[in-house]
Amino acid sequence: MTRQDTHWIVGPGALGRMIGLRLAIRPESAISVALIGRRRLPVEQTLVTPQGATLSVQVATATLEALPTKPPAVVHLTTKAYVAEAVHAALAPHLPPGTPLVLWQNGFGCQPRLSRRHAGPVLCATTTEGAYLEDRVASETRVIHAGQGETLIGALDGGYPALADTLAGELATALSAAGLSARAVTDIRQRLWQKLAVNAAINPLVARFGIRNGQLRERPFRPMVEAIIAEVATILAAEGIDPPGTEGNVGAEADQRQEALAGWRNLVWRVVEGTAGNRASMLQDVLAKRPTEHEAILGPLLAAARSHHLEAPRLIELANWLKARELAVAGDCC
Ligand code: KPL
């Protein structure tokens, strides 16, 4: 990545803005950044670090209707999963062929489709960095980088394997230099499904019952989480997705299944513990009467369950509740 490189951050919500400002903020940064949203953001932006420091940075800003004239070196699509494909469709005609695209969405919905559709190398990123925007007025100019995490970057089976691998390494280096610990990985499909599993076990339940993540540890929610983990573990075993740390285990099939279930339980309860005070993103969406990412998170699991002829009554019930709630919100507003 060279001095003239411009990274477009398309969909500068909390995560996208934090990534963009981090990339732009270093005085010796080789990267310039343009934040591109539905409305134009102020060029003076502030990032509050996890340590509480307030850093000011100037970035270019633009809208999808009036894009910067200089073509980007890389486009980061940081929208919610449910608008990613529509935004890509609006953007794609304005991008020179071969422009690299980085997908930062949750779930496993748009990533395989956009990896096939985009005319250039496509990388997927999954991150445990935490960022949020404050109230409406401050959110125009200020993003809070709440918690440091890790970002993994890699390509699904796209049309440009060698280029995508090189880019994943370069991007991981650039993000790490900007203070976001990042690594290029060769198994991003596994990694995306692992994050999806965690989101599927936590997000729909906390959204349905209006609780913080930590309350899942208590009755009556704990057995609900366990039942969902069991459904998710069965579906993912059929899809060939292992929990982190158990990849490639060998042994009797029943032992492997038990071990995988223990791995998923371990992972989910660790995240619940680590985010006990959080209002998960899906709960925030429900409270703000926004659409949720249920299609991207539960959709691929239910599709996999159907294709392997597996039952998933609890996941289906939660998906139906989320769909019904979305229709009710749409009915209220129009
Ligand atoms: O990723 C999350 C989210 O809120 O979407 C979890 C891990 C559930 C933390 O809140």
Short mmCIF file of all heavy atoms in Angstrom, two decimals, residues 140-211:
data_model
loop_
_atom_site.label_atom_id
_atom_site.label_comp_id
_atom_site.label_asym_id
_atom_site.label_seq_id
_atom_site.Cartn_x
_atom_site.Cartn_y
_atom_site.Cartn_z
N GLU A 140 -22.31 12.41 14.47
CA GLU A 140 -21.86 12.95 13.18
C GLU A 140 -20.33 13.11 13.14
O GLU A 140 -19.73 13.04 12.09
CB GLU A 140 -22.48 14.34 12.94
CG GLU A 140 -23.95 14.32 12.63
CD GLU A 140 -24.19 13.85 11.21
OE1 GLU A 140 -23.88 14.59 10.26
OE2 GLU A 140 -24.71 12.72 11.04
N THR A 141 -19.75 13.39 14.30
CA THR A 141 -18.33 13.78 14.32
C THR A 141 -17.46 12.94 15.23
O THR A 141 -16.26 13.17 15.31
CB THR A 141 -18.20 15.25 14.80
OG1 THR A 141 -18.84 15.35 16.07
CG2 THR A 141 -18.77 16.24 13.82
N ARG A 142 -18.04 11.98 15.94
CA ARG A 142 -17.30 11.33 17.02
C ARG A 142 -17.62 9.84 17.08
O ARG A 142 -18.79 9.46 17.04
CB ARG A 142 -17.79 11.97 18.32
CG ARG A 142 -16.83 12.07 19.43
CD ARG A 142 -17.55 12.97 20.45
NE ARG A 142 -17.62 12.30 21.73
CZ ARG A 142 -16.69 12.44 22.65
NH1 ARG A 142 -15.65 13.24 22.45
NH2 ARG A 142 -16.79 11.82 23.79
N VAL A 143 -16.57 9.02 17.16
CA VAL A 143 -16.79 7.59 17.34
C VAL A 143 -15.96 7.11 18.53
O VAL A 143 -14.83 7.59 18.74
CB VAL A 143 -16.46 6.81 16.04
CG1 VAL A 143 -15.02 6.98 15.59
CG2 VAL A 143 -16.74 5.31 16.22
N ILE A 144 -16.56 6.22 19.30
CA ILE A 144 -15.87 5.69 20.48
C ILE A 144 -15.35 4.29 20.13
O ILE A 144 -16.14 3.40 19.80
CB ILE A 144 -16.82 5.54 21.70
CG1 ILE A 144 -17.76 6.75 21.83
CG2 ILE A 144 -16.04 5.27 22.98
CD1 ILE A 144 -17.13 8.04 22.16
N HIS A 145 -14.01 4.13 20.20
CA HIS A 145 -13.41 2.81 20.04
C HIS A 145 -13.41 2.20 21.44
O HIS A 145 -12.55 2.48 22.26
CB HIS A 145 -11.99 2.95 19.47
CG HIS A 145 -11.34 1.63 19.20
ND1 HIS A 145 -10.01 1.52 18.90
CD2 HIS A 145 -11.83 0.36 19.18
CE1 HIS A 145 -9.71 0.24 18.70
NE2 HIS A 145 -10.79 -0.47 18.88
N ALA A 146 -14.44 1.35 21.70
CA ALA A 146 -14.71 0.95 23.09
C ALA A 146 -13.81 -0.17 23.56
O ALA A 146 -13.41 -0.20 24.72
CB ALA A 146 -16.17 0.53 23.21
N GLY A 147 -13.53 -1.11 22.70
CA GLY A 147 -12.74 -2.26 23.16
C GLY A 147 -11.85 -2.78 22.06
O GLY A 147 -12.25 -2.85 20.91
N GLN A 148 -10.62 -3.12 22.47
CA GLN A 148 -9.65 -3.63 21.51
C GLN A 148 -9.93 -5.11 21.27
O GLN A 148 -10.23 -5.84 22.21
CB GLN A 148 -8.25 -3.48 22.14
CG GLN A 148 -7.18 -3.20 21.16
CD GLN A 148 -6.67 -1.77 21.25
OE1 GLN A 148 -6.48 -1.25 22.35
NE2 GLN A 148 -6.45 -1.15 20.11
N GLY A 149 -9.85 -5.55 20.03
CA GLY A 149 -10.07 -6.96 19.72
C GLY A 149 -9.08 -7.42 18.69
O GLY A 149 -7.94 -6.93 18.64
N GLU A 150 -9.52 -8.34 17.84
CA GLU A 150 -8.65 -8.86 16.79
C GLU A 150 -9.44 -8.96 15.50
O GLU A 150 -10.64 -9.26 15.52
CB GLU A 150 -8.12 -10.24 17.18
CG GLU A 150 -6.98 -10.65 16.28
CD GLU A 150 -6.57 -12.12 16.44
OE1 GLU A 150 -7.44 -12.95 16.75
OE2 GLU A 150 -5.40 -12.41 16.21
N THR A 151 -8.74 -8.70 14.38
CA THR A 151 -9.39 -8.77 13.07
C THR A 151 -8.69 -9.84 12.24
O THR A 151 -7.46 -9.88 12.19
CB THR A 151 -9.27 -7.39 12.36
OG1 THR A 151 -9.92 -6.41 13.19
CG2 THR A 151 -9.93 -7.41 11.00
N LEU A 152 -9.51 -10.69 11.62
CA LEU A 152 -8.97 -11.74 10.74
C LEU A 152 -9.44 -11.45 9.33
O LEU A 152 -10.62 -11.10 9.13
CB LEU A 152 -9.46 -13.11 11.19
CG LEU A 152 -9.15 -13.45 12.66
CD1 LEU A 152 -9.79 -14.77 13.04
CD2 LEU A 152 -7.65 -13.49 12.90
N ILE A 153 -8.53 -11.60 8.38
CA ILE A 153 -8.84 -11.22 6.99
C ILE A 153 -8.44 -12.35 6.05
O ILE A 153 -7.34 -12.91 6.17
CB ILE A 153 -8.04 -9.97 6.57
CG1 ILE A 153 -8.29 -8.83 7.55
CG2 ILE A 153 -8.40 -9.51 5.16
CD1 ILE A 153 -7.24 -7.75 7.45
N GLY A 154 -9.30 -12.64 5.10
CA GLY A 154 -8.95 -13.68 4.12
C GLY A 154 -9.96 -13.69 2.99
O GLY A 154 -10.97 -12.99 3.04
N ALA A 155 -9.68 -14.51 2.00
CA ALA A 155 -10.57 -14.57 0.83
C ALA A 155 -11.31 -15.89 0.81
O ALA A 155 -10.75 -16.93 1.16
CB ALA A 155 -9.73 -14.42 -0.43
N LEU A 156 -12.60 -15.83 0.42
CA LEU A 156 -13.33 -17.05 0.09
C LEU A 156 -12.86 -17.45 -1.31
O LEU A 156 -11.99 -16.80 -1.88
CB LEU A 156 -14.84 -16.79 0.11
CG LEU A 156 -15.43 -16.39 1.47
CD1 LEU A 156 -16.88 -15.96 1.31
CD2 LEU A 156 -15.32 -17.54 2.46
N ASP A 157 -13.50 -18.49 -1.89
CA ASP A 157 -13.04 -18.89 -3.23
C ASP A 157 -13.49 -17.84 -4.25
O ASP A 157 -14.58 -17.95 -4.77
CB ASP A 157 -13.63 -20.26 -3.63
CG ASP A 157 -13.41 -21.25 -2.51
OD1 ASP A 157 -12.38 -21.14 -1.84
OD2 ASP A 157 -14.28 -22.12 -2.33
N GLY A 158 -12.70 -16.85 -4.49
CA GLY A 158 -13.04 -15.83 -5.48
C GLY A 158 -12.23 -16.04 -6.75
O GLY A 158 -11.53 -17.04 -6.89
N GLY A 159 -12.31 -15.06 -7.63
CA GLY A 159 -11.65 -15.22 -8.92
C GLY A 159 -10.18 -14.79 -8.94
O GLY A 159 -9.52 -14.95 -9.95
N TYR A 160 -9.67 -14.25 -7.84
CA TYR A 160 -8.31 -13.68 -7.86
C TYR A 160 -7.50 -14.21 -6.68
O TYR A 160 -7.04 -13.43 -5.83
CB TYR A 160 -8.37 -12.15 -7.77
CG TYR A 160 -9.23 -11.48 -8.80
CD1 TYR A 160 -10.61 -11.51 -8.71
CD2 TYR A 160 -8.64 -10.79 -9.87
CE1 TYR A 160 -11.41 -10.89 -9.66
CE2 TYR A 160 -9.43 -10.17 -10.82
CZ TYR A 160 -10.81 -10.23 -10.71
OH TYR A 160 -11.59 -9.61 -11.64
N PRO A 161 -7.31 -15.54 -6.55
CA PRO A 161 -6.75 -16.08 -5.30
C PRO A 161 -5.39 -15.51 -4.90
O PRO A 161 -5.19 -15.14 -3.75
CB PRO A 161 -6.69 -17.59 -5.55
CG PRO A 161 -6.96 -17.80 -7.00
CD PRO A 161 -7.61 -16.56 -7.54
N ALA A 162 -4.45 -15.41 -5.86
CA ALA A 162 -3.10 -14.98 -5.48
C ALA A 162 -3.10 -13.52 -5.03
O ALA A 162 -2.52 -13.15 -4.00
CB ALA A 162 -2.15 -15.17 -6.66
N LEU A 163 -3.81 -12.68 -5.82
CA LEU A 163 -3.88 -11.26 -5.51
C LEU A 163 -4.56 -11.05 -4.15
O LEU A 163 -4.11 -10.23 -3.33
CB LEU A 163 -4.67 -10.56 -6.62
CG LEU A 163 -4.65 -9.05 -6.66
CD1 LEU A 163 -3.23 -8.53 -6.60
CD2 LEU A 163 -5.33 -8.55 -7.94
N ALA A 164 -5.63 -11.80 -3.91
CA ALA A 164 -6.37 -11.65 -2.65
C ALA A 164 -5.46 -12.01 -1.47
O ALA A 164 -5.48 -11.34 -0.44
CB ALA A 164 -7.63 -12.51 -2.66
N ASP A 165 -4.65 -13.05 -1.61
CA ASP A 165 -3.76 -13.45 -0.51
C ASP A 165 -2.75 -12.34 -0.22
O ASP A 165 -2.49 -12.00 0.94
CB ASP A 165 -2.99 -14.73 -0.88
CG ASP A 165 -3.87 -15.95 -0.65
OD1 ASP A 165 -4.97 -15.77 -0.09
OD2 ASP A 165 -3.45 -17.06 -1.05
N THR A 166 -2.17 -11.76 -1.29
CA THR A 166 -1.19 -10.67 -1.09
C THR A 166 -1.87 -9.50 -0.40
O THR A 166 -1.32 -8.91 0.55
CB THR A 166 -0.64 -10.20 -2.46
OG1 THR A 166 -0.22 -11.35 -3.16
CG2 THR A 166 0.50 -9.21 -2.32
N LEU A 167 -3.07 -9.15 -0.89
CA LEU A 167 -3.78 -8.01 -0.32
C LEU A 167 -4.15 -8.24 1.14
O LEU A 167 -4.08 -7.32 1.96
CB LEU A 167 -5.07 -7.75 -1.11
CG LEU A 167 -4.88 -7.01 -2.42
CD1 LEU A 167 -6.13 -7.13 -3.28
CD2 LEU A 167 -4.57 -5.53 -2.15
N ALA A 168 -4.53 -9.47 1.47
CA ALA A 168 -4.91 -9.77 2.87
C ALA A 168 -3.72 -9.50 3.78
O ALA A 168 -3.87 -8.89 4.86
CB ALA A 168 -5.37 -11.22 2.99
N GLY A 169 -2.53 -9.91 3.35
CA GLY A 169 -1.32 -9.68 4.16
C GLY A 169 -1.04 -8.19 4.28
O GLY A 169 -0.74 -7.68 5.38
N GLU A 170 -1.15 -7.46 3.15
CA GLU A 170 -0.86 -6.01 3.19
C GLU A 170 -1.86 -5.27 4.07
O GLU A 170 -1.48 -4.37 4.83
CB GLU A 170 -0.92 -5.44 1.76
CG GLU A 170 0.27 -5.85 0.92
CD GLU A 170 0.19 -5.26 -0.49
OE1 GLU A 170 -0.72 -4.46 -0.79
OE2 GLU A 170 1.06 -5.62 -1.29
N LEU A 171 -3.12 -5.66 3.95
CA LEU A 171 -4.14 -4.98 4.74
C LEU A 171 -3.97 -5.27 6.22
O LEU A 171 -4.11 -4.37 7.07
CB LEU A 171 -5.54 -5.40 4.25
CG LEU A 171 -6.70 -4.67 4.90
CD1 LEU A 171 -6.61 -3.16 4.67
CD2 LEU A 171 -8.02 -5.20 4.37
N ALA A 172 -3.66 -6.52 6.55
CA ALA A 172 -3.44 -6.88 7.97
C ALA A 172 -2.28 -6.04 8.52
O ALA A 172 -2.35 -5.53 9.65
CB ALA A 172 -3.15 -8.37 8.10
N THR A 173 -1.22 -5.86 7.72
CA THR A 173 -0.09 -5.05 8.17
C THR A 173 -0.52 -3.60 8.38
O THR A 173 -0.18 -2.98 9.39
CB THR A 173 1.04 -5.11 7.11
OG1 THR A 173 1.35 -6.49 6.90
CG2 THR A 173 2.29 -4.37 7.54
N ALA A 174 -1.29 -3.06 7.42
CA ALA A 174 -1.72 -1.65 7.53
C ALA A 174 -2.62 -1.46 8.75
O ALA A 174 -2.48 -0.48 9.50
CB ALA A 174 -2.46 -1.24 6.26
N LEU A 175 -3.55 -2.40 8.98
CA LEU A 175 -4.46 -2.26 10.13
C LEU A 175 -3.68 -2.39 11.44
O LEU A 175 -3.91 -1.62 12.38
CB LEU A 175 -5.55 -3.33 10.07
CG LEU A 175 -6.62 -3.14 8.98
CD1 LEU A 175 -7.44 -4.41 8.80
CD2 LEU A 175 -7.54 -1.96 9.30
N SER A 176 -2.75 -3.33 11.48
CA SER A 176 -1.97 -3.51 12.72
C SER A 176 -1.15 -2.26 13.01
O SER A 176 -1.07 -1.81 14.16
CB SER A 176 -1.06 -4.73 12.61
OG SER A 176 -1.84 -5.89 12.44
N ALA A 177 -0.56 -1.68 11.95
CA ALA A 177 0.23 -0.45 12.14
C ALA A 177 -0.67 0.69 12.62
O ALA A 177 -0.21 1.62 13.28
CB ALA A 177 0.91 -0.07 10.82
N ALA A 178 -1.95 0.61 12.29
CA ALA A 178 -2.89 1.67 12.70
C ALA A 178 -3.48 1.38 14.09
O ALA A 178 -4.40 2.07 14.53
CB ALA A 178 -4.01 1.77 11.67
N GLY A 179 -3.00 0.31 14.74
CA GLY A 179 -3.45 0.04 16.12
C GLY A 179 -4.58 -0.96 16.20
O GLY A 179 -5.18 -1.13 17.26
N LEU A 180 -4.91 -1.62 15.08
CA LEU A 180 -5.96 -2.64 15.10
C LEU A 180 -5.29 -3.98 14.81
O LEU A 180 -4.92 -4.25 13.67
CB LEU A 180 -7.03 -2.34 14.03
CG LEU A 180 -7.75 -1.01 14.18
CD1 LEU A 180 -8.64 -0.74 12.97
CD2 LEU A 180 -8.60 -1.00 15.46
N SER A 181 -5.12 -4.77 15.83
CA SER A 181 -4.41 -6.04 15.67
C SER A 181 -5.12 -6.90 14.63
O SER A 181 -6.30 -7.23 14.77
CB SER A 181 -4.38 -6.71 17.05
OG SER A 181 -4.09 -8.05 16.90
N ALA A 182 -4.40 -7.24 13.56
CA ALA A 182 -5.04 -7.94 12.44
C ALA A 182 -4.11 -9.00 11.88
O ALA A 182 -2.88 -8.88 11.94
CB ALA A 182 -5.40 -6.93 11.34
N ARG A 183 -4.70 -10.07 11.34
CA ARG A 183 -3.96 -11.20 10.82
C ARG A 183 -4.62 -11.69 9.54
O ARG A 183 -5.86 -11.74 9.47
CB ARG A 183 -4.09 -12.32 11.85
CG ARG A 183 -2.86 -13.03 12.18
CD ARG A 183 -2.86 -13.71 13.54
NE ARG A 183 -4.06 -14.13 14.19
CZ ARG A 183 -4.59 -15.36 14.12
NH1 ARG A 183 -4.07 -16.27 13.33
NH2 ARG A 183 -5.65 -15.68 14.84
N ALA A 184 -3.79 -12.05 8.54
CA ALA A 184 -4.33 -12.70 7.34
C ALA A 184 -4.50 -14.18 7.66
O ALA A 184 -3.62 -14.77 8.28
CB ALA A 184 -3.38 -12.51 6.17
N VAL A 185 -5.63 -14.75 7.27
CA VAL A 185 -5.87 -16.18 7.53
C VAL A 185 -6.28 -16.88 6.23
O VAL A 185 -6.76 -16.23 5.29
CB VAL A 185 -6.97 -16.39 8.60
CG1 VAL A 185 -6.54 -15.87 9.94
CG2 VAL A 185 -8.30 -15.76 8.17
N THR A 186 -6.07 -18.19 6.21
CA THR A 186 -6.41 -18.94 4.99
C THR A 186 -7.75 -19.68 5.16
O THR A 186 -8.19 -20.36 4.25
CB THR A 186 -5.31 -19.98 4.67
OG1 THR A 186 -5.12 -20.75 5.86
CG2 THR A 186 -4.01 -19.32 4.26
N ASP A 187 -8.36 -19.54 6.35
CA ASP A 187 -9.62 -20.27 6.60
C ASP A 187 -10.74 -19.30 7.00
O ASP A 187 -11.43 -19.53 7.99
CB ASP A 187 -9.39 -21.32 7.69
CG ASP A 187 -8.91 -20.69 9.00
OD1 ASP A 187 -8.58 -19.48 9.01
OD2 ASP A 187 -8.88 -21.39 10.02
N ILE A 188 -10.90 -18.24 6.22
CA ILE A 188 -11.87 -17.21 6.62
C ILE A 188 -13.30 -17.76 6.64
O ILE A 188 -14.13 -17.31 7.42
CB ILE A 188 -11.75 -15.94 5.71
CG1 ILE A 188 -12.47 -14.75 6.33
CG2 ILE A 188 -12.26 -16.20 4.30
CD1 ILE A 188 -11.85 -14.19 7.54
N ARG A 189 -13.59 -18.78 5.79
CA ARG A 189 -14.94 -19.35 5.81
C ARG A 189 -15.24 -19.90 7.21
O ARG A 189 -16.29 -19.61 7.79
CB ARG A 189 -15.06 -20.45 4.76
CG ARG A 189 -16.42 -21.11 4.72
CD ARG A 189 -16.57 -22.07 3.53
NE ARG A 189 -17.89 -22.67 3.54
CZ ARG A 189 -18.19 -23.80 4.17
NH1 ARG A 189 -17.26 -24.46 4.83
NH2 ARG A 189 -19.43 -24.27 4.15
N GLN A 190 -14.31 -20.67 7.77
CA GLN A 190 -14.47 -21.20 9.14
C GLN A 190 -14.65 -20.05 10.14
O GLN A 190 -15.50 -20.10 11.01
CB GLN A 190 -13.20 -21.98 9.57
CG GLN A 190 -12.95 -23.27 8.86
CD GLN A 190 -13.59 -24.47 9.59
OE1 GLN A 190 -13.88 -24.42 10.77
NE2 GLN A 190 -13.81 -25.54 8.85
N ARG A 191 -13.82 -19.02 9.97
CA ARG A 191 -13.84 -17.91 10.95
C ARG A 191 -15.17 -17.15 10.92
O ARG A 191 -15.68 -16.74 11.94
CB ARG A 191 -12.69 -16.93 10.68
CG ARG A 191 -11.33 -17.57 10.58
CD ARG A 191 -10.91 -18.18 11.88
NE ARG A 191 -9.53 -18.62 11.80
CZ ARG A 191 -8.70 -18.63 12.83
NH1 ARG A 191 -9.10 -18.24 14.02
NH2 ARG A 191 -7.46 -19.04 12.68
N LEU A 192 -15.69 -16.96 9.70
CA LEU A 192 -16.97 -16.24 9.59
C LEU A 192 -18.10 -17.07 10.22
O LEU A 192 -18.95 -16.54 10.92
CB LEU A 192 -17.29 -15.94 8.12
CG LEU A 192 -16.40 -14.89 7.44
CD1 LEU A 192 -16.63 -14.89 5.93
CD2 LEU A 192 -16.64 -13.49 7.99
N TRP A 193 -18.07 -18.38 9.98
CA TRP A 193 -19.10 -19.25 10.57
C TRP A 193 -18.94 -19.29 12.09
O TRP A 193 -19.93 -19.40 12.82
CB TRP A 193 -19.00 -20.66 10.00
CG TRP A 193 -19.73 -20.85 8.70
CD1 TRP A 193 -19.20 -20.89 7.45
CD2 TRP A 193 -21.15 -21.06 8.52
NE1 TRP A 193 -20.18 -21.11 6.51
CE2 TRP A 193 -21.39 -21.22 7.14
CE3 TRP A 193 -22.23 -21.12 9.40
CZ2 TRP A 193 -22.66 -21.43 6.61
CZ3 TRP A 193 -23.50 -21.33 8.87
CH2 TRP A 193 -23.71 -21.48 7.50
N GLN A 194 -17.72 -19.25 12.59
CA GLN A 194 -17.53 -19.29 14.05
C GLN A 194 -18.15 -18.05 14.71
O GLN A 194 -18.83 -18.13 15.72
CB GLN A 194 -16.03 -19.40 14.40
CG GLN A 194 -15.48 -20.78 14.08
CD GLN A 194 -13.96 -20.85 14.11
OE1 GLN A 194 -13.28 -19.83 14.21
NE2 GLN A 194 -13.43 -22.05 14.00
N LYS A 195 -17.91 -16.88 14.06
CA LYS A 195 -18.52 -15.66 14.63
C LYS A 195 -20.03 -15.73 14.49
O LYS A 195 -20.78 -15.33 15.39
CB LYS A 195 -17.95 -14.43 13.89
CG LYS A 195 -18.62 -13.11 14.25
CD LYS A 195 -17.67 -12.14 14.93
CE LYS A 195 -18.35 -10.92 15.52
NZ LYS A 195 -18.38 -9.77 14.63
N LEU A 196 -20.51 -16.27 13.35
CA LEU A 196 -21.95 -16.42 13.15
C LEU A 196 -22.55 -17.30 14.26
O LEU A 196 -23.63 -17.00 14.78
CB LEU A 196 -22.19 -17.02 11.76
CG LEU A 196 -23.63 -17.30 11.34
CD1 LEU A 196 -23.75 -17.21 9.82
CD2 LEU A 196 -24.12 -18.66 11.80
N ALA A 197 -21.84 -18.37 14.63
CA ALA A 197 -22.35 -19.27 15.67
C ALA A 197 -22.54 -18.52 16.98
O ALA A 197 -23.55 -18.66 17.67
CB ALA A 197 -21.39 -20.45 15.86
N VAL A 198 -21.56 -17.69 17.32
CA VAL A 198 -21.66 -16.91 18.56
C VAL A 198 -22.83 -15.94 18.47
O VAL A 198 -23.65 -15.83 19.39
CB VAL A 198 -20.33 -16.13 18.82
CG1 VAL A 198 -20.48 -15.14 19.96
CG2 VAL A 198 -19.20 -17.10 19.09
N ASN A 199 -22.92 -15.25 17.35
CA ASN A 199 -24.01 -14.28 17.17
C ASN A 199 -25.38 -14.98 17.21
O ASN A 199 -26.34 -14.45 17.77
CB ASN A 199 -23.87 -13.52 15.85
CG ASN A 199 -22.77 -12.48 15.90
OD1 ASN A 199 -22.01 -12.32 14.97
ND2 ASN A 199 -22.66 -11.76 17.01
N ALA A 200 -25.46 -16.18 16.63
CA ALA A 200 -26.75 -16.90 16.59
C ALA A 200 -27.16 -17.34 18.00
O ALA A 200 -28.35 -17.37 18.32
CB ALA A 200 -26.64 -18.12 15.68
N ALA A 201 -26.18 -17.68 18.84
CA ALA A 201 -26.51 -18.15 20.19
C ALA A 201 -26.86 -17.00 21.13
O ALA A 201 -27.57 -17.20 22.11
CB ALA A 201 -25.34 -18.94 20.76
N ILE A 202 -26.37 -15.80 20.82
CA ILE A 202 -26.57 -14.68 21.75
C ILE A 202 -27.63 -13.69 21.24
O ILE A 202 -28.59 -13.35 21.94
CB ILE A 202 -25.24 -13.92 21.99
CG1 ILE A 202 -24.21 -14.86 22.64
CG2 ILE A 202 -25.46 -12.67 22.85
CD1 ILE A 202 -22.83 -14.24 22.85
N ASN A 203 -27.45 -13.21 20.01
CA ASN A 203 -28.20 -12.03 19.56
C ASN A 203 -29.73 -12.20 19.51
O ASN A 203 -30.45 -11.36 20.05
CB ASN A 203 -27.67 -11.57 18.21
CG ASN A 203 -26.38 -10.78 18.36
OD1 ASN A 203 -25.90 -10.58 19.46
ND2 ASN A 203 -25.81 -10.34 17.26
N PRO A 204 -30.25 -13.28 18.87
CA PRO A 204 -31.71 -13.37 18.80
C PRO A 204 -32.35 -13.46 20.18
O PRO A 204 -33.38 -12.83 20.43
CB PRO A 204 -31.94 -14.65 17.99
CG PRO A 204 -30.69 -14.82 17.19
CD PRO A 204 -29.59 -14.33 18.07
N LEU A 205 -31.74 -14.21 21.10
CA LEU A 205 -32.34 -14.35 22.44
C LEU A 205 -32.36 -13.04 23.21
O LEU A 205 -33.37 -12.67 23.79
CB LEU A 205 -31.56 -15.40 23.25
CG LEU A 205 -31.98 -16.86 23.09
CD1 LEU A 205 -31.11 -17.73 23.99
CD2 LEU A 205 -33.45 -17.06 23.43
N VAL A 206 -31.22 -12.32 23.19
CA VAL A 206 -31.20 -11.06 23.96
C VAL A 206 -32.14 -10.03 23.32
O VAL A 206 -32.75 -9.22 24.02
CB VAL A 206 -29.77 -10.48 24.15
CG1 VAL A 206 -28.93 -11.38 25.01
CG2 VAL A 206 -29.09 -10.18 22.85
N ALA A 207 -32.27 -10.11 21.99
CA ALA A 207 -33.19 -9.19 21.30
C ALA A 207 -34.63 -9.53 21.66
O ALA A 207 -35.46 -8.65 21.90
CB ALA A 207 -32.97 -9.27 19.79
N ARG A 208 -34.94 -10.83 21.69
CA ARG A 208 -36.31 -11.28 21.96
C ARG A 208 -36.73 -10.90 23.37
O ARG A 208 -37.84 -10.49 23.62
CB ARG A 208 -36.33 -12.80 21.78
CG ARG A 208 -37.56 -13.52 22.23
CD ARG A 208 -38.44 -13.74 21.02
NE ARG A 208 -39.39 -14.81 21.19
CZ ARG A 208 -40.57 -14.69 21.78
NH1 ARG A 208 -40.90 -13.55 22.32
NH2 ARG A 208 -41.39 -15.72 21.84
N PHE A 209 -35.80 -11.06 24.34
CA PHE A 209 -36.18 -10.87 25.74
C PHE A 209 -35.73 -9.53 26.31
O PHE A 209 -35.98 -9.23 27.47
CB PHE A 209 -35.66 -12.03 26.60
CG PHE A 209 -36.34 -13.32 26.23
CD1 PHE A 209 -35.70 -14.28 25.47
CD2 PHE A 209 -37.66 -13.55 26.60
CE1 PHE A 209 -36.33 -15.45 25.09
CE2 PHE A 209 -38.31 -14.72 26.23
CZ PHE A 209 -37.65 -15.68 25.48
N GLY A 210 -35.06 -8.71 25.49
CA GLY A 210 -34.68 -7.37 25.93
C GLY A 210 -33.71 -7.38 27.09
O GLY A 210 -33.86 -6.62 28.06
N ILE A 211 -32.71 -8.26 27.03
CA ILE A 211 -31.77 -8.39 28.16
C ILE A 211 -30.33 -8.13 27.71
O ILE A 211 -30.02 -8.21 26.51
CB ILE A 211 -31.84 -9.81 28.78
CG1 ILE A 211 -31.60 -10.88 27.70
CG2 ILE A 211 -33.18 -10.03 29.49
CD1 ILE A 211 -31.52 -12.29 28.23
#
